[in-house]
Amino acid sequence: MIKKGIFDIDMIREFYESYPAKVEEAKKILKRPLTLSEKILYAHLSAEEPVKNYIRATDYVNFSPDRVAMQDATAQMALLQLMNSGRSTVAVPSTVHCDHLIQAYKSAEEDLNTANVTNKEVYDFLKAVSNKFGIGFWKPGAGIIHQVVLENYAFPGGMMIGTDSHTPNAGGLGMVAIGVGGADAVDVMAGMPWELKMPKIIGVKLSGKLSGWASPKDVILKLAGILTVKGGTNAIVEYFGEGADSLSATGKATICNMGAEVGATTSIFPYDKKSSDYLKATGRADVAESADSIAVYLQPDAETVSNPNEYFDQVIEIDLSTLEPFVNGPFTPDAAHPISQFAKAVKENGYPRQMEAGLIGSCTNSSYEDLSRAASIVADAKNKHIKVKARFIINPGSEQVRYTAERDGILPLFEEAGATIMANACGPCIGQWKRESGDPERPNSIVTSFNRNFAKRNDGNPNTHAFVTSPEIVAALSIAGDLCFNPLTDTLINENGEEVKLDEPKGYELPPKGYDMEDVGFIAPVANGSGIEIKIAPDSRRLQELKPFPEWDGKDIIAQPLLIKVKGKCTTDHISMAGSWLRYRGHLDNISDNMLIGAVNAFNDKTNAVLDPETGEYIAVPKLARIFKAEGLGSVVVAEENYGEGSSREHAAMEPRFLYVKAIVVKSFARIHETNLKKQGMLALTFINKDDYDKIQESDKISILGLTEFKPGKNLTIELTHKDGSTESFEVAHTYNEIQIAWFKAGGALNYAKI
């Protein structure tokens, strides 16, 4: 086993020395007890921010996070921006994790070798920039960013931002960890304050204890059904109660991870013995000792727990003792079905009943506990002479988990059952799955332990019905090959013709013999990277130097054409697809060819087909935007609710900016995406009267008036000029504060920072 030191231990000790006093000061000034989220937020106020009672969901506040984490797909654009910041080193500990660009196809070894060849230019770039700016680099194969962070960097009471929407995974260890766009990450790495609207706090009281087939995943699957995909917007979901204390640290991380699916800013659990045990098991006994000494400050005040309705904006109660497994989907993670009702939903909705593939892994469910519990189901099926009927794929979360699971016979058990062990990477969860399934648009069903299941998300097939559940249920349904199988009540016929029932899952929260591994996969930066030269080939198809966006011309936006009026759900996957497009995440021009190609045009119900007003033909969205751009025109995008839901990828904001889109006008925004648009100097506007969406016609020219007097809280006016020459107007709202308006005028936050 390769021993590693505790990362950033001096920073963590220094934080713990000052943390209690900061919490006490906040309690004294606010004159009330605090939730855990508030303790951590107020302890991380930027130096210039006064301690006062900031109004939740209203006041913008500057914070100073402790660290930054980036995955390789989003790190490219973040580091390209960092190169323009004027910094020589990062101001806070930062890391890059190579987990997104590895395609799942044949096996871990083959796929990793392929990735190292096909992505060499990008990996070399990320490694060089990391070295130059003092950033820690985790090699391809080391593991999925959020699992690696949980094992090495997450610490109770800390604050972290990450360029991935599932950064809240670290909340399982009591950390306020928030997914952001690359421009936000650059701010923090450059030593500037990080701005966030003070979030609301949703309290989730957990009582009882899980048993049988129920798992931590079922807590968040049930909650997704309660809150829906936007019910947690601008809120932290804070868990408390004796039920919370009963969950493992990795189980808590699973719940926090998937809080992104309800739109939450982040999710968090209090520090407890399970947290301490996990820190010690992962080689961080010194962190556990320091946290134990101030444990009361790493938990909510007793008054907030005993009287939650007074201190939380919303309170939801879940009894773990009565919780049954859930299967959510298809096409949205908040379509929640208890396992007892799932077969009925399958039949009534005509979902393809045959379960073709079961996938276990992703940043959500790839811990040792997850694998061991799923493996117990497979072992039981083997003992009862039942073969796995569906294709079975396993993605371990980290090399530490993979090596330990291999040592303990867990992975060999999966392989014996016919499973393919893929690389320690995101793989199919983010569309990096080279699936050979014949017809690319054939209706079919798969079941995963992932977090997202939007159309085309996993394999590019719009008719793949992807269902999200726990690893245990994935294993059971893979064995049965039937979506209508309920392992809690149903039996299977084995190879001997006997009727048998699967036993309840069993597993280990932590490996009985401890974690182990041979190759950590971490490369520390050199002490002084000032002499390192970053070279990008001018003809590279993967990387492109960034040029600053132009500043605002000081005028209203007049008579710009409509680019697309989007109908229905429009996630960041619809705006800037992943999958094969991941290769262009460092090349803004090339990746802009995927802009909004997954969005449905409200005028013809088709994707990537918008009206060219000059020819009357329907052409690709990026092609029309480039035509407008070549003519010196901008354009406007109109959409519906929760626009930009899903991933934190800022490409979904940078591509419209690059192709001269002037404004995005919607019924409502997802939090991260609205911030990303503002950071890139875009106009993000919302309909005051949502019915005004219906007024937008296909050939409209759109003016946005009032920008010369752009002020916080002051509405702007949209004026439509229809094809017949008639006009109509209405007001639209915005959430820009003074600084964000300054970003807009400067042409982007990075431009403003350099003024």
Side-chain angles (χ1 to χ4, degrees):
M1 175 179 181
I2 290 182
K3 299 288 185 182
K4 65 178 189 299
I6 300 177
F7 291 103
D8 311 318
I9 186 62
D10 292 338
M11 178 268 283
I12 294 171
R13 285 173 177 158
E14 183 179 339
F15 169 77
Y16 282 150
E17 287 174 4
S18 63
Y19 176 64
K22 291 180 179 178
V23 173
E24 289 296 340
E25 181 188 12
K27 290 174 67 174
K28 181 180 179 180
I29 292 176
L30 272 60
K31 298 179 180 179
R32 60 174 173 82
L34 301 178
T35 69
L36 173 59
S37 303
E38 290 177 308
K39 290 180 180 182
I40 299 173
L41 290 171
Y42 277 93
H44 285 87
L45 293 176
S46 286
E48 76 282 1
E49 287 290 293
V51 179
K52 66 177 186 178
N53 189 23
Y54 290 101
I55 306 303
R56 297 176 188 172
T58 299
D59 289 340
Y60 284 90
V61 187
N62 285 322
F63 294 97
S64 294
D66 300 304
R67 66 173 306 105
V68 173
M70 298 166 280
Q71 41 93 336
D72 51 353
T74 51
Q76 296 172 60
M77 199 58 70
L79 296 184
L80 285 164
Q81 292 175 85
L82 180 65
M83 290 166 61
N84 287 336
S85 70
R87 291 285 303 193
S88 57
T89 60
V90 290
V92 300
S94 304
T95 50
V96 168
H97 303 258
C98 297
D99 62 354
H100 272 54
L101 299 179
I102 303 168
Q103 187 178 59
Y105 180 36
K106 293 183 177 180
S107 66
E109 184 177 2
E110 288 187 70
D111 293 346
L112 187 56
N113 288 338
T114 299
N116 278 318
V117 172
T118 59
N119 300 317
K120 185 179 186 303
E121 179 185 14
V122 172
Y123 292 151
D124 287 349
F125 168 77
L126 294 175
K127 191 187 305 180
V129 179
S130 296
N131 228 359
K132 183 175 181 64
F133 289 94
I135 298 169
F137 182 80
W138 289 82
K139 297 186 296 184
I144 303 173
I145 175 173
H146 309 304
Q147 184 66 27
V148 173
V149 165
L150 194 73
E151 293 172 358
N152 296 278
Y153 297 110
F155 66 94
M159 174 183 266
M160 176 181 75
I161 63 170
T163 60
D164 189 279
S165 55
H166 294 101
T167 300
N169 191 80
L173 272 181
M175 194 174 201
V176 166
I178 300 175
V180 299
D184 280 345
V186 172
D187 282 353
V188 176
M189 289 190 290
M192 294 185 289
W194 173 63
E195 184 184 65
L196 178 73
K197 184 181 289 186
M198 184 61 81
K200 297 180 292 183
I201 305 177
I202 298 173
V204 179
K205 181 179 180 180
L206 300 180
S207 60
K209 190 174 183 179
L210 293 171
S211 62
W213 286 85
S215 75
K217 182 68 164 281
D218 299 308
V219 174
I220 186 60
L221 293 176
K222 179 179 177 67
L223 189 65
I226 295 170
L227 288 175
T228 76
V229 292
K230 61 177 183 176
T233 302
N234 290 323
I236 292 178
V237 178
E238 181 174 324
Y239 295 85
F240 63 93
E242 73 275 10
D245 297 337
S246 71
L247 300 173
S248 68
T250 52
K252 292 169 184 169
T254 289
I255 294 168
C256 292
N257 177 294
M258 203 175 157
E261 272 36 81
V262 299
T265 299
T266 192
S267 302
I268 193 169
F269 276 85
Y271 180 72
D272 58 19
K273 186 179 183 303
K274 296 291 180 76
S275 314
S276 181
D277 290 345
Y278 184 76
L279 285 169
K280 293 170 184 174
T282 51
R284 293 174 286 169
D286 284 1
V287 177
E289 183 180 342
S290 296
D292 289 341
S293 68
I294 59 164
V296 67
Y297 293 99
L298 301 172
Q299 299 161 352
D301 285 332
E303 298 92 331
T304 68
V305 172
S306 60
N307 190 13
N309 288 303
E310 185 173 340
Y311 299 102
F312 292 92
D313 295 281
Q314 180 181 355
V315 178
I316 298 168
E317 297 189 22
I318 297 176
D319 182 359
L320 301 182
S321 300
T322 60
L323 185 65
E324 66 174 298
F326 274 73
V327 184
N328 288 23
F331 305 128
T332 186
D334 59 351
H337 310 283
I339 191 72
S340 60
Q341 300 174 28
F342 184 52
K344 180 182 178 184
V346 170
K347 294 171 184 175
E348 288 182 350
N349 292 288
Y351 302 144
R353 178 170 173 170
Q354 180 187 355
M355 192 271 218
E356 297 191 12
L359 301 100
I360 293 175
S362 87
C363 60
T364 319
N365 279 112
S366 54
S367 67
Y368 186 90
E369 180 182 19
D370 291 326
L371 296 182
S372 67
R373 282 175 63 86
S376 76
I377 307 298
V378 174
D380 184 49
K382 175 187 174 184
N383 293 336
K384 292 173 178 173
H385 307 291
I386 308 170
K387 289 186 176 181
V388 177
K389 292 185 174 59
R391 187 182 180 193
F392 210 10
I393 294 175
I394 313 292
N395 281 84
S398 69
E399 178 57 18
Q400 181 167 267
V401 167
R402 188 212 66 78
Y403 186 92
T404 307
E406 176 79 27
R407 179 201 68 189
D408 293 349
I410 292 174
L411 296 188
L413 180 63
F414 282 127
E415 289 178 304
E416 188 179 345
T420 302
I421 311 300
M422 296 295 188
N424 312 322
C426 303
C429 183
I430 59 161
Q432 284 284 56
W433 182 19
K434 190 174 180 180
R435 185 184 183 192
E436 296 177 332
S437 59
D439 182 355
E441 296 200 354
R442 176 179 58 84
N444 72 100
S445 291
I446 65 173
V447 180
T448 82
S449 71
F450 304 164
N451 41 45
R452 296 212 164 121
N453 57 352
F454 304 136
K456 300 185 180 182
R457 171 81 180 183
N458 303 126
D459 61 1
N461 180 350
N463 295 311
T464 290
H465 295 61
F467 298 91
V468 178
T469 188
S470 67
E472 298 92 319
I473 298 298
V474 172
L477 293 181
S478 297
I479 291 164
D482 181 2
L483 288 186
C484 293
F485 174 66
N486 180 353
L488 284 70
T489 58
D490 298 346
T491 58
L492 296 169
I493 304 299
N494 69 6
E495 293 174 294
N496 301 327
E498 301 164 331
E499 193 172 293
V500 296
K501 191 169 184 288
L502 294 175
D503 289 347
E504 293 177 350
K506 297 179 177 65
Y508 300 96
E509 292 184 5
L510 299 168
K513 293 187 287 185
Y515 287 107
D516 204 353
M517 65 180 143
E518 291 182 343
D519 183 4
V520 176
F522 174 74
I523 301 175
V526 297
N528 183 352
S530 59
I532 296 173
E533 184 179 358
I534 310 299
K535 295 181 179 180
I536 297 176
D539 60 347
S540 172
R541 297 286 297 162
R542 299 289 298 271
L543 298 166
Q544 180 186 46
E545 289 187 25
L546 278 181
K547 295 180 180 179
F549 290 127
E551 63 183 33
W552 176 53
D553 63 5
K555 302 176 182 177
D556 286 340
I557 294 170
I558 303 297
Q560 301 295 292
L562 175 72
L563 180 62
I564 183 172
K565 179 178 176 180
V566 181
K567 177 181 178 181
K569 184 185 286 285
C570 192
T571 71
T572 47
D573 280 340
H574 296 90
I575 305 167
S576 177
M577 288 182 179
S580 62
W581 289 96
L582 284 173
R583 75 188 74 171
Y584 299 129
R585 283 284 176 86
H587 198 295
L588 184 54
D589 195 356
N590 284 345
I591 200 169
S592 292
D593 282 334
N594 79 0
M595 186 189 73
L596 286 160
I597 63 176
V600 176
N601 184 349
F603 298 109
N604 60 11
D605 288 332
K606 294 180 179 179
T607 58
N608 206 23
V610 288
L611 181 68
D612 181 344
E614 292 298 317
T615 65
E617 297 177 351
Y618 283 90
I619 61 175
V621 182
K623 183 177 180 181
L624 181 59
R626 288 184 186 276
I627 290 173
F628 289 150
K629 180 178 179 179
E631 295 173 351
L633 290 172
S635 59
V636 176
V637 171
V638 173
E640 298 201 69
E641 299 282 6
N642 209 27
Y643 180 83
E645 168 193 347
S647 169
S648 66
R649 71 192 65 148
E650 66 189 316
H651 300 78
M654 296 185 80
E655 291 172 33
R657 183 76 165 98
F658 180 72
L659 294 182
Y660 275 33
V661 174
K662 298 296 185 183
I664 311 289
V665 188
V666 303
K667 294 181 180 180
S668 66
F669 283 103
R671 176 192 62 84
I672 298 177
H673 188 64
E674 183 178 20
T675 300
N676 285 346
L677 289 168
K678 292 177 178 179
K679 286 276 183 175
Q680 301 304 331
M682 288 280 293
L683 272 180
L685 308 174
T686 55
F687 293 105
I688 296 172
N689 179 355
K690 294 183 180 181
D691 290 340
D692 287 338
Y693 166 90
D694 299 323
K695 296 177 181 177
I696 311 295
Q697 297 178 20
E698 194 167 23
S699 298
D700 279 353
K701 293 290 189 295
I702 302 172
S703 298
I704 301 173
L705 311 177
L707 288 174
T708 54
E709 298 179 354
F710 198 5
K711 294 178 181 178
K714 184 176 182 180
N715 295 337
L716 300 174
T717 298
I718 283 186
E719 184 177 272
L720 304 176
T721 301
H722 300 310
K723 190 175 182 179
D724 62 5
S726 63
T727 63
E728 55 185 320
S729 62
F730 50 83
E731 290 191 351
V732 287
H734 66 84
T735 61
Y736 288 75
N737 59 26
E738 292 285 3
I739 292 296
Q740 293 168 344
I741 290 172
W743 296 345
F744 168 76
K745 291 180 177 179
L750 200 57
N751 292 356
Y752 175 75
K754 294 164 71 174
I755 293 175

